[in-house]
Amino acid sequence: MKDIRSYDINELIEEFKNELGLPAFRAKQVYKWLSAGVDSFDEMTNISKDLRNNLSNIYYISVANIEKKLVSVYDKTVKYLFSFNDGDMIESVVMNYHHGYTICISTQVGCKMGCSFCATGQSGFLRDLKPSEMLAQIHSAQKDLGIRISNIVLMGMGEPLDNYDNVIKFLKLVSSEDNINIGMRHISLSTCGLVDKIYKLEEENFQLTLSISLHAPNDEIRSRTMPVNKRYNISELLTACRHYAKTTGRRISFEYAMIEGVNDSDECAKELAKKLKGMLCHVNLIPVNSVKGTGYKKSSVERQQAFIKILGRYGITATVRRTLGSDINASCGQLKARVEEEISLKKSKDIH
Ligand code: SAH
Ligand code: SF4
């Protein structure tokens, strides 16, 4: 079966012409339905039943089924556990900022990068997501909440640049006028720092925001928490970032999860400031979400403020990321881990 949601409009026109001998207007009709977020061919009411049957024998429509939904009582942040056509599950989060709805989507089932503070990283890697499955997360959330999403962050489960081709195709699709039509300026991509892919992304010349999960001011600390640092060290990563910012003219956003006693001292702040000095960038401090089994705790508010002050002295702007949905916990990967725990608990109860 072919994945019909992963085509762009021109590919679908070609595909329908070659496979089914259909005129371009049919492809355009079907594409309009897909872009509107339908989950089945039966919903395409201006297409004959025969053709709908025919299509459903050749193509499948990627869907993201809601397995679980948590709504924060504080700020209405919504967290979904979605399952795809094959049953694999990922998480997405919808946040309501003043400038509209933002969705945080996943790009892989699991992740290979193994960061020590991250629930997804601890759970291992299953597979890459297809462009259609990234789009399906947006469609499902929009339909369920009856809203139009205006911003996307690729900050859910998975490392986007480790699924490069599918992510690039998704970005082109989602920003296209024939499709969901969310402009690149409303999209952020977060990476743990795959340097070769950062140079490649630079060549695409997208107007998106590149977010770098830095989380440490030196190689010693970073290699301890983020294994990727052994492949590409901080110096190589920051050289790529400077290059990226210069070529694209886009400000880089550095993510820094503050972990008590690990990376939050005054010395760490100074070291970080010296390394980022002069770069077109912004630092987002995130009090680390404690993940079961890691023993990490978030830094105190005083530590956060001291850190910001020191960075400021070197001319680097930093803010503490507003944590939304703190009650529905929390960073991506945790809901899935919990549901899997429940399932295995249930299974073991069934057995005994
Ligand atoms: N793989 C990509 C994108 C997904 S992770 C990346 O690492 O950038 C999205 C963000 O959540 C990253 O900045 C990641 O470092 C951060 N993160 C992961 N676990 C966290 C935790 N326990 N507390 C705070 N931030 C966390
Ligand atoms: Fe993967 Fe990002 Fe988690 Fe690291 S922080 S394990 S790169 S999802």
Side-chain angles (χ1 to χ4, degrees), residues 300-350:
S300 66
V301 174
E302 293 76 51
R303 271 289 88 219
Q304 297 166 22
Q305 292 311 320
F307 220 83
I308 290 179
K309 224 170 163 178
I310 294 170
L311 291 176
R313 264 193 246 135
Y314 288 81
I316 292 156
T317 60
T319 41
V320 177
R321 158 103 46 88
R322 229 174 99 209
T323 43
L324 293 178
S326 53
D327 56 331
I328 54 171
N329 224 345
S331 54
C332 268
Q334 294 188 330
L335 177 60
K336 189 182 178 196
R338 224 179 63 205
V339 169
E340 277 173 354
E341 205 173 74
E342 275 171 25
I343 292 170
S344 70
L345 243 169
K346 241 202 257 147
K347 273 192 191 144
S348 70
K349 268 193 208 143
D350 291 345

Side-chain angles (χ1 to χ4, degrees), residues 66 69 71 78 80 82 138-147:
I66 302 172
K69 175 182 173 185
V71 184
V78 183
Y80 292 103
F82 285 131
I138 303 173
H139 287 309
S140 279
Q142 289 197 144
K143 270 194 285 180
D144 179 55
L145 298 171
I147 55 161

Side-chain angles (χ1 to χ4, degrees), residues 151 182-188 207-209 250:
N151 296 276
I182 297 178
M184 289 283 182
R185 285 181 179 273
H186 300 275
I187 302 177
S188 293
Q207 289 296 296
L208 52 72
T209 300
R250 305 284 298 161

Side-chain angles (χ1 to χ4, degrees), residues 207-232:
Q207 289 296 296
L208 52 72
T209 300
L210 181 63
S211 224
I212 305 285
S213 296
L214 194 58
H215 303 320
N218 59 50
D219 288 326
E220 196 259 312
I221 301 176
R222 195 163 195 265
S223 295
R224 249 194 290 146
T225 48
M226 302 181 71
V228 68
N229 198 65
K230 293 173 197 152
R231 193 154 27 128
Y232 301 107

